[in-house]
Amino acid sequence: MAKIDKRFQILFSEEEILLLKNEAEKRNISQGELLRLALRNEITHKSDFTRIRAIRALTEVFD
């Protein structure tokens, strides 16, 4: 795992805290780790989506 050495402050609603707590418990990981995983997954999926969209645009150009 990467070295964790930066702090970030974020505010959550009570509902979001409850969702975070329950999901972290279900996965048997910390809430912080769940947030880090969610962040990495969101960025990765967005990046994949952007690549797919670019490939589709290129195939239209060459058709």
Side-chain angles (χ1 to χ4, degrees):
M1 184 194 318
K3 179 182 172 191
I4 300 171
D5 60 356
K6 302 290 182 201
R7 180 177 293 267
F8 186 85
Q9 184 173 342
I10 186 167
L11 300 174
F12 290 103
S13 69
E14 288 296 324
E15 180 183 355
E16 291 167 330
I17 291 292
L18 186 58
L19 288 170
L20 179 63
K21 180 180 182 278
N22 290 340
E23 187 64 26
E25 286 177 358
K26 187 172 20 173
R27 295 180 187 211
N28 197 32
I29 60 176
S30 71
Q31 293 174 27
E33 183 61 18
L34 180 57
L35 288 170
R36 287 186 290 275
L37 286 169
L39 175 65
R40 284 191 296 273
N41 287 337
E42 176 65 15
I43 291 170
T44 300
H45 287 357
K46 293 280 185 183
S47 179
D48 288 346
F49 179 72
T50 302
R51 277 193 292 265
I52 290 168
R53 214 171 40 189
I55 291 169
R56 285 184 180 153
L58 282 172
T59 58
E60 289 174 7
V61 168
F62 292 111
D63 277 343

